[in-house]
């Protein structure tokens, strides 16, 4: 057998004999593969493949598009003395997008538990509004475990609606201040922002920490107490969404049932009429995780009945002029196991054409047993792929082309774990979720939660953004709705007997966001997850070759490493400038043609400037 070097020399010479048959860009791409010692892509011309025949045992063909959830290479045997290659060649198909997702793709959720623990009364905080504005445009879904225990009570006088756990109950010394601030908000026009004294926030945090234990006990026992949403609280919720540039989606209580198990809509009608009287622009849902109703109330609601309930809600909306054309989403089922799929099928038969998007939710890990190494497991990252396939199969059977949303997604269930689901390490799951869903055509993903009683939130109780917030902010600033296919070569790994090889380098590509005026249309953005404990090198090829690149490298900040709750961008720690100002996200320019070096256990974005990609020139 010919030596490796002699074979490569023969292949290089072979290029010259066929280069006139190829476009210059293709010839350069093939030449780059050969000179770097990489396997030739599947697009090589037949003449070159024939030249390669004697060396097929030494080389592999690898082609990858962004539609795949895994990034895996075909294992090959290497000749003795040949070292493993670290260089990866990357090109992007810039002619047309493979998917187009919603402008509101990355959206947010608030759990009704914020009524219980009192945080709802602080949503008018300038700092919270500033943080939420950074993630607009987006949906704000008001729903969660306590959705189906929520009762609306139309009380307009704030002084008479006091009572129950929350800041108005605990902070008795400041009741007059709260009432006065409520009245002051009413007198303002447009966006209503309040300034809460530090002592109020300090006492609220103490009481919220106590209530957190109560809420966890409810969650673990699966028994929930009723919640009352007043007109005043609904005003504050809508004010927060409106001020932040978010579109509110409100999930109505589905567990108010009649004796025949049909939905009792009387309380929902009261809420709809009040919202319409205020001309609130709201979309609607009904219930949360209907597959769990038996454990909650001792009786189940099958898919057919749930579909009838949605048809009833649609009829109700059409009777109210303000909401006659409002969007309706559902049924927000849980993980698609066999019984849940059966429920979804029954629902789709009856109400598939009634909803504007079909929704489900997913949590990767049981929050009670999570550890930091869980967030680095590629098998865990890939669990979502099978769920997408199952949901799409059912939806496309009954309503082909219907939009699908993933609502209520988080790293861990059961409220999450401190220093884990709110740490830098959780970002690997979050960013891969965004990349995978977009590449598979899921239109919207709703992150649970913006501000919460647990540890899955983006903003903590000191109103400081956590690592996943900064990751989401970068995504919003850089990523547009058009998804592009990528082509990668060089991801070779040594096979291990009895083990499925899953690559730890995840690469996704989109057109750069049109809202980012720092980049001309036609630019593209790559985002990369490196779960390897070693750095990886990527050489841009084809249409991306010799372009200036802006790097946004996100790494943990401080001594806590993967457990860190602070991050740095290109070596500079990220923090708010003041309550009304987010920091400037400064890129690190890389000279044209430079190899991208991806540090171990990091997430990064790369804007490739002036590509003039046809897929990205127009909206």
């Amino acid at each position: 057998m010919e030596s490796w070097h002699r074979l490569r020399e023969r292949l290089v010479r072979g290029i010259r004999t066929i280069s006139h048959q190829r476009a210059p860009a293709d010839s350069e791409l093939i030449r780059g593969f050969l000179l770097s010692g990489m396997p030739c892509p599947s697009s090589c011309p037949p003449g070159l493949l024939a030249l390669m025949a004697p060396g097929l045992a030494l080389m592999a063909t690898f082609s990858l598009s962004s539609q795949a959830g895994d990034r895996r290479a075909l294992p090959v045997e290497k000749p003795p003395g040949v070292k493993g290659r670290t260089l990866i060649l990357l090109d992007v198909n810039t002619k047309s997008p493979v998917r187009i997702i919603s402008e509101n793709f990355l959206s947010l959720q608030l759990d009704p538990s914020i009524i219980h623990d009192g945080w709802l009364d602080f949503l008018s905080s300038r700092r919270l509004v500033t943080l939420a504005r950074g993630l607009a445009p987006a949906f704000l879904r008001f729903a969660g475990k306590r959705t189906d225990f929520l009762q609306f009570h139309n009380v307009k006088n704030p002084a008479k609606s006091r009572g129950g756990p929350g800041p108005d109950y605990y902070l008795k010394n400041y009741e007059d201040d709260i009432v006065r601030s409520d009245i002051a908000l009413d007198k303002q026009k447009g966006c209503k922002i309040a300034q809460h004294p530090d002592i109020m926030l300090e006492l609220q945090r103490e009481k919220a920490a106590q209530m957190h234990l109560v809420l966890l006990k409810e969650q673990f026992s699966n028994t929930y107490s009723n919640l009352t949403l007043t007109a005043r609280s609904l005003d504050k919720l809508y004010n927060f969404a409106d001020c932040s540039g978010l579109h509110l989606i409100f999930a109505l209580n589905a567990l108010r049932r009649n004796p025949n198990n049909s939905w009792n809509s009387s309380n929902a009608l009261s809420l709809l009429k009040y919202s319409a009287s205020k001309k609130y622009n709201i979309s609607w849902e009904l219930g949360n995780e209907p597959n769990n109703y038996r454990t909650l109330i001792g009786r189940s609601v099958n898919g057919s009945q749930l579909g009838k309930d949605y048809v009833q809600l649609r009829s109700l909306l059409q009777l109210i002029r303000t909401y006659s054309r409002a969007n309706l989403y559902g049924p927000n089922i849980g993980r698609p196991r066999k019984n849940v799929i059966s429920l979804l099928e029954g629902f789709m038969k009856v109400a598939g054409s009634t909803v504007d998007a079909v929704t489900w939710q997913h949590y990767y890990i049981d929050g009670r047993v999570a550890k930091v190494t869980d967030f680095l497991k590629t098998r865990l990252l890939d669990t979502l792929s099978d769920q997408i396939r199952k949901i799409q199969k059912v939806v496309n059977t009954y309503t082909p082309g219907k939009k699908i949303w993933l609502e209520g997604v988080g790293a861990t269930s059961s409220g999450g774990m401190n220093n884990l689901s709110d740490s830098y390490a959780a970002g690997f799951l979050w960013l891969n979720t965004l990349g995978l869903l977009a590449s598979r055509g899921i239109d919207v993903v709703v992150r649970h939660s913006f501000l919460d009683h647990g540890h899955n939130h983006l903003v903590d109780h000191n109103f400081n953004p956590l690592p996943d917030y900064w990751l989401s902010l970068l995504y919003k600033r850089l990523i547009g709705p058009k998804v592009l296919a990528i082509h990668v070569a060089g991801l070779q790994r040594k096979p291990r007997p009895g083990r499925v090889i899953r690559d730890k380098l995840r690469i996704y590509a989109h057109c750069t966001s049109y809202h980012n005026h720092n980049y001309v249309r036609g630019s593209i953005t790559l985002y990369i997850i490196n779960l390897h404990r070693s750095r990886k090198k990527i050489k841009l090829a084809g249409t991306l070759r010799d372009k200036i690149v802006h790097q946004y490298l996100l790494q943990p900040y401080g001594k806590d490493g993967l457990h860190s709750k602070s991050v740095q961008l290109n070596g500079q720690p990220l923090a708010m400038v003041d309550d009304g100002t987010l920091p400037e996200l400064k890129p690190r320019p890389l000279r044209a043609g430079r190899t991208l070096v991806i540090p171990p256990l990091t997430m990064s974005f790369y804007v490739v400037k002036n590509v003039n990609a046809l897929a990205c020139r127009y909206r």
Side-chain angles (χ1 to χ4, degrees):
M1 180 178 291
E2 294 181 89
S3 71
W4 176 265
H5 295 291
R6 291 184 61 187
L7 175 62
R8 190 172 66 177
E9 289 174 3
R10 182 183 173 196
L11 294 174
V12 171
R13 289 196 302 269
I15 286 182
R16 301 191 184 100
T17 67
I18 62 168
S19 60
H20 67 279
Q21 301 174 5
R22 305 290 293 176
D26 294 333
S27 295
E28 287 300 316
L29 180 59
I30 296 169
R31 189 190 307 275
F33 277 102
L34 295 172
L35 293 179
S36 64
M38 297 297 172
C40 180
S42 58
S43 58
C44 286
L48 182 56
L49 291 176
L51 289 171
M52 293 174 60
L56 287 178
L58 307 177
M59 308 182 90
T61 298
F62 184 73
S63 179
L64 179 66
S65 82
S66 61
Q67 300 179 51
D70 300 339
R71 302 292 186 264
R72 61 182 73 182
L74 301 177
V76 298
E77 293 296 330
K78 297 180 183 179
V82 177
K83 296 182 179 180
R85 301 290 179 175
T86 60
L87 186 66
I88 297 159
L89 294 178
L90 169 65
D91 192 11
V92 174
N93 183 345
T94 58
K95 293 182 179 180
S96 60
V98 291
R99 309 276 188 223
I100 300 178
I101 52 178
S102 170
E103 289 274 1
N104 293 4
F105 175 71
L106 195 167
S107 289
L108 308 170
Q109 180 169 322
L110 279 176
D111 194 282
S113 61
I114 65 171
I115 299 173
H116 246 331
D117 61 25
W119 285 117
L120 179 62
D121 291 292
F122 292 85
L123 289 180
S124 56
S125 161
R126 178 176 299 277
R127 191 175 180 90
L128 285 181
V129 170
T130 299
L131 289 167
R133 279 177 181 167
L135 301 181
F139 295 108
L140 178 68
R141 179 177 183 255
F142 187 69
K145 292 286 187 181
R146 292 161 183 82
T147 287
D148 295 304
F149 300 91
L150 192 63
Q151 310 293 326
F152 177 69
H153 187 35
N154 190 353
V155 177
K156 296 182 180 180
N157 186 343
K160 293 182 179 180
S161 65
R162 316 188 68 70
D168 296 347
Y169 176 78
Y170 292 114
L171 311 179
K172 294 181 179 179
N173 293 333
Y174 302 96
E175 285 190 351
D176 292 339
D177 289 337
I178 293 174
V179 172
R180 281 196 294 270
S181 66
D182 284 341
I183 295 173
L185 289 179
D186 280 341
K187 292 181 179 179
Q188 295 182 37
K189 293 182 179 180
C191 187
K192 303 176 179 68
I193 302 294
Q195 188 66 39
H196 303 100
D198 290 342
I199 186 64
M200 288 180 65
L201 289 169
E202 183 179 342
L203 291 172
Q204 163 59 21
R205 292 184 191 104
E206 293 178 4
K207 298 306 179 181
Q210 297 173 16
M211 182 54 64
H212 175 61
L213 300 177
V214 175
L215 296 173
L216 280 180
K217 183 177 179 181
E218 285 188 357
Q219 191 157 322
F220 290 144
S221 63
N222 218 24
T223 55
Y224 299 94
S225 55
N226 289 329
L227 282 174
T228 298
L229 177 72
T230 65
R232 169 66 58 189
S233 295
L234 182 58
D235 292 343
K236 291 181 178 180
L237 175 65
Y238 188 82
N239 176 68
F240 171 71
D242 192 44
C243 286
S244 305
L246 309 176
H247 177 79
L248 182 62
I249 300 174
F250 193 101
L252 300 164
N253 186 340
L255 284 185
R256 290 177 63 89
R257 316 297 295 181
N258 295 314
N260 65 353
N261 209 28
S262 63
W263 178 51
N264 185 328
S265 62
S266 58
N267 190 255
L269 182 60
S270 176
L271 191 155
L272 288 169
K273 286 182 175 180
Y274 175 77
S275 299
S277 71
K278 304 284 282 190
K279 296 183 179 180
Y280 288 160
N281 180 19
I282 303 177
S283 295
W284 304 94
E285 292 185 1
L286 181 60
N288 185 77
E289 282 195 280
N291 46 289
N292 286 337
Y293 285 168
R294 177 173 291 280
T295 59
L296 293 176
I297 61 172
R299 61 178 179 178
S300 61
V301 177
N302 62 34
S304 178
Q305 180 58 56
L306 189 64
K308 294 176 183 177
D309 297 340
Y310 265 79
V311 172
Q312 180 183 346
L313 175 54
R314 174 60 80 185
S315 299
L316 205 62
L317 293 173
Q318 291 173 342
L319 293 175
I320 302 172
R321 180 178 298 178
T322 304
Y323 301 121
S324 60
R325 296 184 179 181
N327 286 332
L328 178 62
Y329 307 109
N332 195 249
I333 56 172
R335 183 175 297 178
R337 298 186 176 94
K338 184 176 181 179
N339 63 318
V340 180
I341 289 295
S342 177
L343 187 150
L344 179 60
E345 289 175 336
F347 173 85
M348 294 300 296
K349 289 178 183 178
V350 177
S353 60
T354 301
V355 294
D356 294 281
V358 177
T359 62
W360 98 102
Q361 57 181 274
H362 171 75
Y363 293 88
Y364 284 95
I365 311 173
D366 185 339
R368 290 166 285 188
V369 298
K371 52 186 180 294
V372 71
T373 53
D374 289 335
F375 298 104
L376 309 179
K377 295 178 179 178
T378 54
R379 279 188 173 86
L380 181 67
L381 270 65
D382 295 336
T383 56
L384 181 58
S385 185
D386 186 53
Q387 291 194 24
I388 296 171
R389 181 188 59 79
K390 291 179 179 178
I391 296 293
Q392 287 178 329
K393 181 179 179 181
V394 174
V395 172
N396 290 330
T397 298
Y398 295 96
T399 54
K402 178 72 68 175
K403 292 180 179 179
I404 302 175
W405 292 11
L406 177 59
E407 289 186 333
V409 63
T412 59
S413 61
S414 305
M417 288 291 289
N418 189 28
N419 295 322
L420 287 174
S421 51
D422 52 4
S423 70
Y424 176 86
F428 296 117
L429 283 179
W430 178 224
L431 188 56
N432 189 71
T433 298
L434 294 171
L436 179 59
L437 292 172
S439 65
R440 297 285 290 273
I442 302 303
D443 198 50
V444 170
V445 53
V446 180
R447 170 60 189 254
H448 185 274
S449 162
F450 178 72
L451 179 73
D452 200 1
H453 71 90
H455 302 285
N456 275 330
H457 42 226
L458 299 179
V459 179
D460 68 17
H461 291 166
N462 293 314
F463 298 171
N464 289 323
L466 292 163
D468 275 5
Y469 175 85
W470 297 117
L471 185 58
S472 302
L473 183 64
L474 277 168
Y475 189 96
K476 280 286 187 179
R477 294 279 179 88
L478 301 175
I479 302 298
K482 291 185 178 180
V483 186
L484 305 176
I486 65 171
H487 305 288
V488 184
L491 290 176
Q492 296 182 357
R493 297 182 60 193
K494 183 179 179 181
R496 298 184 183 181
R499 180 181 177 184
V500 177
I501 297 177
R502 298 175 187 268
D503 193 36
K504 293 186 175 184
L505 193 68
R506 307 286 169 115
I507 307 172
Y508 301 97
H510 288 236
C511 294
T512 303
S513 173
Y514 298 128
H515 300 293
N516 193 322
H517 300 299
N518 294 323
Y519 303 107
V520 298
R521 291 191 182 183
S523 300
I524 69 167
T525 302
L526 309 167
Y527 51 110
I528 301 173
I529 304 166
N530 184 13
L531 292 172
H532 291 278
R533 297 185 180 273
S534 60
R535 68 178 186 174
K536 296 298 172 185
K537 296 180 181 180
I538 296 178
K539 187 73 173 177
L540 301 182
T543 53
L544 310 187
R545 186 178 180 182
D546 296 331
K547 302 296 183 183
I548 295 175
V549 176
H550 279 186
Q551 172 185 277
Y552 297 82
L553 176 62
L554 206 62
Q555 295 174 290
Y557 179 71
K559 61 182 180 180
D560 294 327
L562 294 178
H563 289 278
S564 178
K565 295 184 181 181
S566 300
V567 295
Q568 54 185 329
L569 179 65
N570 295 326
Q572 297 298 316
L574 288 175
M576 294 187 72
V577 177
D578 54 46
D579 287 351
T581 311
L582 292 168
E584 182 182 357
L585 303 178
K586 296 181 180 180
R588 179 190 174 196
L590 304 179
R591 59 176 171 78
R594 178 172 174 176
T595 299
L596 307 183
V597 179
I598 318 297
L601 300 177
T602 58
M603 295 164 277
S604 52
F605 296 78
Y606 294 91
V607 179
V608 187
K609 300 181 63 180
N610 305 320
V611 178
N612 198 27
L614 180 63
C616 307
R617 291 180 197 168
Y618 310 101
R619 286 201 173 195

